[in-house]
Amino acid sequence: MVSAANRARNPARSSVWLEDRAARPGSSRKAEQPEGLDRDRIVATAVRLLDAEGLGKLSMRRIATELNVTAMSLYWYVDTKDDILELAVDAVFGELPLTDPEDGQDWRIHLRRLAADYREVLVRHPWVSTIVNAYLNIGPHSVAFAETVQKIIRATGLPPRARSGATAAVFQFAYGFATIEGHFIQRCAASGMTPDEFYGDAIDAFQDEPQLAGQIDEVKDVIAAHSGRTVAEIWADDFEFALDVMVAGVEEMVRRAEG
């Protein structure tokens, strides 16, 4: 079992996926386990609460209340809240519709599709980007995602020493884009406004402040180009264009490697 103390002492080897749950002591008290409760239900409830209320409000007690069980009941299945968060991250990665990179389609199709799906998942669950790097991410869904990424990047024809950089360029870009987008949507919701209302108010605020007038002048043509479009449409188009830039960069590096 991975205790909180063990996590702090040796984080590089601490993961809920490295536990031997079958060896957990106390199995003779099975009669005390609540009926109908299992790890999957706990994790699904945690994901739902994280989506609705955010990281700050998640606790073992909050999850137990939602499941109508005692907080101590959860400890039959997990040792710490960190276990639940690590399991929740992997459950979210399970939402990615992974395809077979070796199905004969061009690697560009697979790369664009997976990067777009990755962005959508992170926007849908904005708490994930905040904590994903706190864990080893060796759960089955996380590993399947990583393996799919590596197969796609290998299919580009890049030499091995260049593949990690290409992976970072595309998927760290998608991660950063989705993090900013997801947190923007959260901020809008917290303010009681839609993204379109928030964006409109922000533009008005800039235009009403003399000291910010110069900054607005620099992007007036950009603002005009987006006139009449929703924030969601702007985000989508910006992502697609930026992803095209990333793919074009990979293509150029492949040509250089071949040359």
Side-chain angles (χ1 to χ4, degrees):
M1 293 180 289
V2 182
S3 67
N6 286 337
R7 285 183 185 277
R9 193 162 47 244
N10 196 356
R13 299 188 63 184
S14 297
S15 170
V16 68
W17 300 103
L18 299 177
E19 297 180 35
D20 182 8
R21 180 60 64 178
R24 181 169 184 154
S27 57
S28 62
R29 297 168 54 207
K30 190 177 177 82
E32 297 179 20
Q33 291 180 254
E35 291 186 10
L37 186 64
D38 56 33
R39 181 180 273 187
D40 288 343
R41 278 194 68 203
I42 293 169
V43 173
T45 299
V47 170
R48 188 170 67 252
L49 290 172
L50 286 162
D51 290 344
E53 302 175 0
L55 279 167
K57 294 185 179 180
L58 189 75
S59 67
M60 301 293 268
R61 186 177 299 277
R62 180 71 184 90
I63 296 170
T65 298
E66 191 73 9
L67 288 166
N68 197 29
V69 298
T70 66
M72 290 304 298
S73 301
L74 304 182
Y75 291 101
W76 282 100
Y77 307 96
V78 292
D79 291 314
T80 66
K81 188 176 79 170
D82 260 331
D83 285 353
I84 295 178
L85 290 173
E86 188 176 4
L87 290 164
V89 168
D90 193 69
V92 167
F93 272 80
E95 297 177 14
L96 285 163
L98 302 180
T99 57
D100 181 9
E102 299 170 345
D103 64 1
Q105 293 190 82
D106 188 85
W107 62 264
R108 297 164 187 81
I109 294 173
H110 284 292
L111 188 59
R112 286 191 173 94
R113 182 184 299 147
L114 187 55
D117 289 338
Y118 185 48
R119 170 210 167 201
E120 287 184 9
V121 165
L122 292 180
V123 171
R124 188 159 62 241
H125 307 284
W127 51 273
V128 171
S129 62
T130 305
I131 63 170
V132 64
N133 294 315
Y135 304 107
L136 294 180
N137 297 315
I138 54 175
H141 298 304
S142 300
V143 169
F145 169 67
E147 288 179 342
T148 301
V149 169
Q150 291 310 309
K151 287 179 180 179
I152 294 171
I153 297 299
R154 186 181 301 115
T156 65
L158 284 169
R161 62 181 176 79
R163 291 176 194 161
S164 58
T167 301
V170 176
F171 288 95
Q172 288 185 22
F173 146 69
Y175 166 87
F177 191 102
T179 298
I180 294 171
E181 182 181 2
H183 290 185
F184 171 78
I185 293 171
Q186 277 190 319
R187 184 176 181 182
C188 296
S191 69
M193 291 189 281
T194 67
D196 293 328
E197 291 168 341
F198 193 98
Y199 174 75
D201 277 8
I203 294 297
D204 290 343
F206 265 81
Q207 291 174 335
D208 292 342
E209 292 294 330
Q211 67 269 29
L212 300 177
Q215 294 182 37
I216 285 290
D217 288 341
E218 290 296 327
V219 293
K220 275 185 176 179
D221 53 345
V222 176
I223 295 172
H226 292 318
S227 178
R229 303 169 71 228
T230 67
V231 170
E233 290 170 340
I234 296 171
W235 281 116
D237 286 353
D238 285 353
F239 180 81
E240 287 299 320
F241 182 84
L243 184 56
D244 283 345
V245 171
M246 292 296 162
V247 173
V250 174
E251 291 172 332
E252 175 58 26
M253 297 312 292
V254 170
R255 280 193 290 270
R256 293 185 187 185
E258 291 174 345

